[in-house]
Amino acid sequence: MNGDKETIAEVDDDLCFVNQWVDKLSHGKSFTLRVFVESFQSEMKSNNREKRENGLKRICLVISKLPQNYPWELPHVELLMNFFLMNYSIFDTPNFFILTVLKKLLMNNLHVKSSSIDSLVDTLFRQGQVQTCAQRERFVFYQILDLLLNKYSKELSTNTYFISYFMSSVSGERDPRCLILVFRLFCTFFKHFNSGDFQRNLLDLYASDLFDIIACYYPIEFNHNSRERTEITRELLVSGCESCLLADEEFAPFVFELIIEKLLDSEYSTDTKLEICSFLAKACAFFPCYQLIDHIGQLCAGIRSVLFNFPNDTRDDYIPESITAAVSSIIKAFDRSNIKDKRQHIESICHEFIESKTFKFSLNVFFFKKIND
């Protein structure tokens, strides 16, 4: 009980201290960031580790709470960033307060020099510690990555280790709140490769590994917990995951192999497989047709397996919209391509389905009508 009271007292004391200093720094002309940080010299130079940690925590809390319109100056931002990075190892594990203040320093409109960004990236991500942290620390790590990718892509492009840092940081994430951000980071990451901001040859080396980072989540299995944030939905996760899988043309063979694997896996329900068929339609619309040819036979077999697993009382002429979309998209991919003998390919695909189930009307006519709509 006494321990709880002491903790509450410490929190109240921190809050009072933070509010006072934020007010002084925001409105008091005689108080500067330098004066504020230098006031902690005794704590930061103390031989007592707990005092150093508490001093650093208070500095972080105050700077993190500075108002959005605080008049930052570039030299101060760079000095503070270097100060926090130099003291990053004071804590045994990545610390929420330091991560939060570093995020704060990146969020202003100023552009710090490349050496500061290099130091930040190496300090935060070199050890590959992101996945060892608690959820709230991981989330701030991802927010920092988001800021770096959107604001400092030029600096990141010269860091030959960044791609491995990125992979180790996001690989294995399981928390839905973090996954939403990871999926967005992944798409932004590939946007820089596709635009030429990052060296394409590096991506080609890691394409399979990068794909595997996302493929492990597909298809998304998510049951919403009422205690979690309501804005995290399965639909959002599915959309994010699919966007990642379609992030680059290099993923084409991996995506088609993944779809085949999931369609033929008896573990998944018919509803899930119909969702996979919808994704197949998107994949066929995105990837070049030549990437599709080697997988046509197995894809058709996968779709047929879904048709065969409908209940016995299902009408013979029932074709789920997702299967219609998948087969139509496959045919359209061939129809708009310059592939030799594409008409024979299309006829072969249609025959695959005419023979698999008796319909009241010809699938051949049905799907040709669809692609001409």
Side-chain angles (χ1 to χ4, degrees):
M1 187 68 176
N2 289 334
D4 291 341
K5 287 182 178 179
E6 289 176 5
T7 301
I8 293 171
E10 288 176 6
V11 171
D12 289 342
D13 187 39
D14 279 342
L15 184 60
C16 182
F17 175 86
V18 169
N19 289 337
Q20 287 177 354
W21 268 103
V22 167
D23 185 64
K24 288 178 181 179
L25 291 169
S26 302
H27 305 106
K29 294 182 180 179
S30 60
F31 294 99
T32 64
L33 284 171
R34 180 184 292 274
V35 170
F36 167 66
V37 174
E38 287 179 350
S39 70
F40 284 88
Q41 278 191 12
S42 61
E43 287 92 334
M44 297 306 298
K45 292 181 179 179
S46 173
N47 292 325
N48 185 308
R49 178 171 178 168
E50 186 176 350
K51 283 187 176 181
R52 295 199 305 274
E53 289 181 354
N54 287 335
L56 188 57
K57 174 187 170 184
R58 284 193 157 192
I59 296 173
C60 292
L61 284 169
V62 170
I63 294 177
S64 298
K65 295 295 183 182
L66 289 175
Q68 193 170 1
N69 62 350
Y70 183 80
W72 292 101
E73 295 180 18
L74 185 58
H76 293 160
V77 172
E78 292 177 342
L79 282 171
L80 283 169
M81 186 175 289
N82 290 334
F83 169 77
F84 290 119
L85 292 174
M86 286 174 58
N87 289 284
Y88 187 75
S89 60
I90 281 182
F91 300 96
D92 290 331
T93 58
N95 180 266
F96 175 77
F97 299 106
I98 289 189
L99 292 172
T100 301
V101 78
L102 288 170
K103 182 185 76 171
K104 178 79 172 184
L105 294 174
L106 289 170
M107 288 174 66
N108 61 68
N109 294 326
L110 301 172
H111 202 94
V112 303
K113 59 189 177 185
S114 59
S115 59
S116 295
I117 295 301
D118 288 341
S119 179
L120 182 142
V121 170
D122 288 340
T123 302
L124 266 57
F125 301 104
R126 181 177 53 201
Q127 300 299 324
Q129 292 180 300
V130 176
Q131 289 303 316
T132 67
C133 299
Q135 185 273 334
R136 73 169 187 168
E137 281 80 18
R138 297 200 310 276
F139 194 82
V140 183
F141 267 118
Y142 298 144
Q143 289 178 315
I144 290 173
L145 271 176
D146 193 32
L147 287 165
L148 290 170
L149 283 167
N150 284 290
K151 189 176 178 182
Y152 292 98
S153 60
K154 182 178 179 181
E155 288 77 6
L156 296 179
S157 69
T158 61
N159 189 326
T160 55
Y161 298 104
F162 178 69
I163 189 168
S164 60
Y165 292 166
F166 178 84
M167 290 169 60
S168 66
S169 297
V170 302
S171 182
E173 181 56 59
R174 303 302 297 175
D175 190 283
R177 295 163 294 181
C178 291
L179 269 180
I180 291 289
L181 189 46
V182 165
F183 290 154
R184 189 175 82 196
L185 287 171
F186 199 85
C187 291
T188 304
F189 182 74
F190 272 88
K191 181 189 73 176
H192 288 301
F193 279 105
N194 292 328
S195 66
D197 294 338
F198 293 171
Q199 296 179 43
R200 182 74 199 187
N201 63 315
L202 288 176
L203 177 60
D204 295 340
L205 287 172
Y206 291 101
S208 177
D209 294 327
L210 284 161
F211 179 81
D212 288 342
I213 289 173
I214 301 299
C216 67
Y217 302 112
Y218 189 82
I220 292 289
E221 297 178 7
F222 175 67
N223 295 315
H224 186 265
N225 188 326
S226 59
R227 293 176 297 176
E228 295 174 350
R229 292 165 55 178
T230 55
E231 64 266 30
I232 306 299
T233 64
R234 184 177 184 277
E235 289 72 24
L236 277 176
L237 291 167
V238 168
S239 176
C241 183
E242 290 183 351
S243 295
C244 292
L245 295 174
L246 301 180
D248 192 87
E249 288 187 3
E250 287 289 324
F251 284 172
F254 308 132
V255 167
F256 290 129
E257 288 166 11
L258 178 67
I259 290 172
I260 291 164
E261 175 192 334
K262 302 304 179 182
L263 285 176
L264 297 176
D265 193 332
S266 59
E267 175 186 341
Y268 296 108
S269 67
T270 298
D271 286 343
T272 298
K273 291 186 178 184
L274 290 175
E275 185 179 271
I276 294 168
C277 287
S278 295
F279 176 57
L280 171 59
K282 298 174 188 175
C284 291
F286 177 76
F287 294 123
C289 187
Y290 73 87
Q291 298 274 23
L292 180 61
I293 293 176
D294 292 340
H295 305 282
I296 282 295
Q298 287 181 295
L299 286 170
C300 289
I303 296 171
R304 285 202 312 272
S305 72
V306 180
L307 286 168
F308 280 132
N309 281 324
F310 287 139
N312 292 330
D313 58 354
T314 303
R315 297 194 329 267
D316 283 343
D317 63 348
Y318 172 64
I319 309 174
E321 183 61 32
S322 55
I323 289 182
T324 299
V327 180
S328 296
S329 190
I330 292 173
I331 294 173
K332 284 181 181 179
F334 279 99
D335 192 51
R336 65 174 176 262
S337 73
N338 296 319
I339 290 175
K340 184 180 179 181
D341 299 328
K342 67 179 181 181
R343 187 56 53 184
Q344 286 88 333
H345 280 292
I346 293 173
E347 290 177 1
S348 175
I349 294 165
C350 290
H351 286 136
E352 288 270 2
F353 294 97
I354 292 171
E355 294 172 2
S356 68
K357 193 171 182 179
T358 303
F359 297 108
K360 286 186 177 178
F361 48 86
S362 168
L363 267 176
N364 196 349
V365 174
F366 181 77
F367 284 121
F368 271 107
K369 180 178 182 298
K370 280 288 180 182
I371 66 172
N372 291 319
D373 283 346

